[in-house]
Amino acid sequence: MADDIINMLIVGSGPAGCTAAIYGARANLSPVLIEGSQPGGQLTTTPEIGNWPGAFANPSGYDLMETLKKHATMLGTKFLSDRVVSASLAGEVKELTLGSGEVLRARTVVIATGASARYLGLEGERTYMGHGVSACATCDGFFFRKKEVAVVGGGAAAFTEAIFLASLCSKVYLIHRRDGFRAEAVQVDRLRALEQEGKAEFVLNARVTDLRGDGTKLTSVVVEQGGKEREIPLAGVFMAIGHVPQTEVFKGGIETDAEGYIVVGKGRATATSVPGVFAAGDCADRTYRQAITSAGSGCQAALDVEHYLNG
Ligand code: FAD
Ligand code: NAP
């Protein structure tokens, strides 16, 4: 095959993609990694990581991902600042087209495109996106200092965001559709303690029905709670209602489930329905969705690539 064919092409720069690159580089596979529009992935949106083994100083997600990128680069991975817009995966040589128009040819592809924030689908989200509506407290929390805000959701992300925002804002409402949480107990306890201090308020068994504003910025959130409507005046709302896999660009070329997660485990842990194409991290994991499990499957993907290339 021609020399311009990449041995190992990785799509995504989150924990899965960077770990695949580290292992691939150490196996002399000369990996090329396409970073996508969110260099470093989802973790870069969180102020503190408390569960990455060994990182007991609780680094920010941004700092942690910088070290992973540095490690992969140091070993020889080539990072490309672009994103994949279309892919032809069938056949021995895969062709991936980038936003710049460049077409990359590769013997193997590791898809590590993770997931992106889910929204409620309300009109107000579109109207006030970036003007009161956000899905990233680390990125946008600063704009709401000393103001009242809400976080929607009951998972780990919602609690992480709410606890962070409570340190910046005058008050944080945690709006959740039921009264049980997916978040860890330790996080729930921390927010309950902030509620005692008047810094937070739980709004439970509540459904957000409307986001209202003055035409330029958000001014309130309307919830339906126990058959009654309640309007909460506030300056910002942070959606933390989970994520959807970013696999649209590969749709049709590879087997996905009904929600778009890539189906893996075809013989090897990260093998997909297409020979030579592997998937790692949140784009193929509807269950665990942790930084460390994504990194672990990135490692598996690199080992699977090596196994595939060695016949
Ligand atoms: P991601 O991190 O989602 O990265 C996906 C990558 O793919 C990105 O670089 C993106 O740019 C790229 N990409 C997407 N589409 C394309 C394309 N078409 N072309 C090229 N590139 C593309 N987990 C923990 O274990 N501990 C925590 O404390 C923690 N905190 C979190 C806090 C928040 C607010 C959020 C949202 C998540 C948190 N998580 C945490 C979960 C963790 O971030 C994810 O499980 C992990 O980042 C998934 O890694 P990944 O590599 O699979 O994908
Ligand atoms: P998640 O665990 O899937 O939680 C999503 C939350 O949003 C759930 O409480 C869900 O309600 C709610 N929700 C979903 N759709 C909704 C809708 N249409 N309307 C209203 N509410 C809706 O997602 P996540 O919090 O983003 O976490 C994703 C993964 O990342 C998890 O595996 C998590 O452990 C990990 N993570 C870890 C940390 C950490 O370790 N500190 C931090 C952040 C994320 P129900 O509960 O009723 O379904």
Side-chain angles (χ1 to χ4, degrees), residues 117-135 152 208-213 216-218 220-221 237-242:
R118 177 185 285 136
Y119 289 91
L120 291 167
L122 296 171
E123 182 62 37
E125 284 173 321
R126 281 183 290 278
T127 309
Y128 298 113
M129 184 64 64
H131 300 278
V133 177
S134 171
V152 182
V208 178
T209 54
D210 200 8
L211 303 178
R212 292 182 186 159
T216 57
K217 62 180 191 314
L218 183 82
S220 69
V221 160
V237 62
F238 292 83
M239 297 301 166
I241 58 168

Side-chain angles (χ1 to χ4, degrees), residues 47-134:
E48 193 182 273
I49 309 293
N51 52 15
W52 183 266
F56 46 78
N58 294 2
S60 72
Y62 178 83
D63 287 346
L64 183 70
M65 290 313 301
E66 276 293 296
T67 64
L68 265 70
K69 179 175 179 179
K70 199 170 172 185
H71 192 175
T73 307
M74 201 182 81
L75 292 166
T77 304
K78 185 175 174 192
F79 278 71
L80 298 183
S81 174
D82 209 328
R83 69 196 171 90
V84 173
V85 294
S86 69
S88 167
L89 300 174
E92 227 172 285
V93 177
K94 327 294 177 194
E95 290 192 347
L96 275 69
T97 305
L98 306 185
S100 64
E102 188 183 355
V103 178
L104 300 180
R105 304 173 77 219
R107 293 183 179 89
T108 67
V109 175
V110 174
I111 302 174
T113 47
S116 60
R118 177 185 285 136
Y119 289 91
L120 291 167
L122 296 171
E123 182 62 37
E125 284 173 321
R126 281 183 290 278
T127 309
Y128 298 113
M129 184 64 64
H131 300 278
V133 177
S134 171

Side-chain angles (χ1 to χ4, degrees), residues 11-17 34-38 40-43 45-46 48-49 51 82-84 112-115 161 243 246 249 280-282 289-292 294:
V11 190
S13 53
I34 307 159
E35 289 191 286
S37 50
Q38 190 176 39
Q42 289 172 67
L43 270 195
T45 68
T46 191
E48 193 182 273
I49 309 293
N51 52 15
D82 209 328
R83 69 196 171 90
V84 173
T113 47
E161 305 243 305
H243 286 71
Q246 296 198 78
V249 77
D282 280 13
R289 296 173 298 159
Q290 302 295 304
I292 192 66
S294 297

Side-chain angles (χ1 to χ4, degrees), residues 261-284:
Y261 288 93
I262 297 172
V263 177
V264 289
K266 306 279 183 182
R268 306 273 295 187
T270 67
T272 67
S273 57
V274 180
V277 180
F278 304 87
D282 280 13
C283 67

Side-chain angles (χ1 to χ4, degrees), residues 2 8 37 44 91 122 133 187-188 191 253 258 271 292 309:
M8 180 185 192
S37 50
T44 59
L122 296 171
V133 177
Q187 290 182 303
V188 179
L191 197 64
I292 192 66
L309 289 174

Side-chain angles (χ1 to χ4, degrees), residues 51 120 154-157 160 176-178 182 241-242 288-290:
N51 52 15
L120 291 167
T160 303
H176 183 36
R177 63 184 177 186
R178 58 192 179 95
R182 292 176 193 269
I241 58 168
Y288 302 105
R289 296 173 298 159
Q290 302 295 304

